[in-house]
Amino acid sequence: LPTQAKPDPVMLLSGNVYDELTKMPLKAEILFKEQKQQKEVGVALSDSRNGAFKLALTPDKTYILWAKAKNYFSSIDTIFLNASNASTPLKLYLRPLKVGDSVALKQVNFIKGAAFFLEESYAELDRMVQMMQESSSMMILLEGHTDISGSKQANKKLSENRVFAVKRYLVERGKEADRIRLKAYGETRPLTYSRDEASKKRNRRVVFRVLQL
């Protein structure tokens, strides 16, 4: 065959999905896409008996994988697939959600001093969209926090703008506005009082709290 007519080579990537707390196998939906693509390129289901799944993927590319199930916080992984790691099964753990749980959206990050998302934020935001779609009665509280630099008033406003940006993203993708409440704490609830850059990054966060399932 001419080079342009040859099919792309594929590798088989296998894995298992588990409940993070019980470590029991879990039936879940696995969505995957190339990192540079906007939409998922495929979907697979894990076996409820052992949590196993298999994906046929083109090697030497970076993929984003989601594992999702109703009333679980989705797992998200980024993997560069090549011959050295394709033979190692993935283990994906989904955290069960219950009312009152809070989860930091660690990959949702913003331009410094602003409420504009950095590029790495979108996979996490899309995971929130998927989770709220899976659990159509879920209601959440988005809590905004900043670091302890700058003025209290400016930090309060910044945290307001950032949680509003997250809500707007979810609403623009079909999630009902009345399912999403907001609370801006500014700098009043730091995880650490240290002022090095790593500590500042820990304090700058958006957290979602489950109000209803």
Side-chain angles (χ1 to χ4, degrees):
L1 287 175
T3 301
Q4 62 269 28
K6 292 181 179 179
D8 290 335
V10 295
M11 284 185 174
L12 203 60
L13 179 67
S14 63
N16 301 80
V17 185
Y18 301 98
D19 182 299
E20 185 179 278
L21 298 184
T22 67
K23 311 304 183 197
M24 294 296 290
L26 190 64
K27 183 178 181 179
E29 191 174 17
I30 296 92
L31 299 89
F32 57 94
K33 69 175 184 179
E34 290 181 33
Q35 190 175 46
K36 295 181 180 180
Q37 291 183 324
Q38 293 298 313
K39 295 185 178 181
E40 296 84 12
V41 296
V43 181
L45 291 175
S46 63
D47 192 317
S48 60
R49 296 169 297 178
N50 54 18
F53 65 89
K54 292 183 178 180
L55 307 174
L57 303 173
T58 305
D60 300 317
K61 292 185 178 182
T62 300
Y63 292 90
I64 296 175
L65 280 70
W66 290 268
K68 64 189 183 90
K70 186 175 181 180
N71 292 340
Y72 281 82
F73 186 58
S74 304
S75 166
I76 184 169
D77 283 86
T78 301
I79 180 172
F80 179 75
L81 183 66
N82 57 29
S84 66
N85 61 17
S87 60
T88 304
L90 287 177
K91 292 185 178 181
L92 305 179
Y93 294 91
L94 300 192
R95 174 179 170 177
L97 292 173
K98 61 181 184 296
V99 173
D101 275 357
S102 62
V103 180
L105 301 176
K106 294 181 180 179
Q107 295 185 48
V108 174
N109 295 302
F110 300 86
I111 292 174
K112 185 176 181 179
F116 300 106
F117 298 118
L118 294 177
E119 186 64 30
E120 69 261 20
S121 303
Y122 293 108
E124 183 99 90
L125 292 166
D126 289 340
R127 173 165 62 159
M128 289 291 298
V129 173
Q130 294 280 356
M131 183 182 66
M132 295 189 73
Q133 185 172 312
E134 287 290 317
S135 303
S136 58
S137 61
M138 178 184 287
M139 295 181 64
I140 63 171
L141 172 67
L142 292 172
E143 302 173 350
H145 304 266
T146 67
D147 61 37
I148 55 177
S149 303
S151 73
K152 289 184 178 181
Q153 294 82 357
N155 285 336
K156 178 73 180 299
K157 183 62 176 176
L158 181 59
S159 65
E160 287 176 356
N161 291 341
R162 286 177 170 177
V163 289
F164 181 78
V166 175
K167 178 174 181 175
R168 181 175 59 213
Y169 188 93
L170 299 177
V171 170
E172 286 176 350
R173 283 150 185 81
K175 303 309 112 188
E176 299 85 349
D178 60 1
R179 295 172 59 195
I180 307 164
R181 300 177 186 174
L182 305 179
K183 181 69 175 179
Y185 289 103
E187 63 181 60
T188 62
R189 294 191 175 185
L191 297 175
T192 173
Y193 286 93
S194 299
R195 293 180 179 269
D196 58 276
E197 195 53 43
S199 298
K200 289 180 180 180
K201 187 174 181 180
R202 282 188 66 203
N203 285 333
R204 295 192 295 263
R205 66 202 188 278
V206 173
V207 175
F208 84 86
R209 188 177 302 277
V210 180
L211 301 178
Q212 176 182 302
L213 286 174

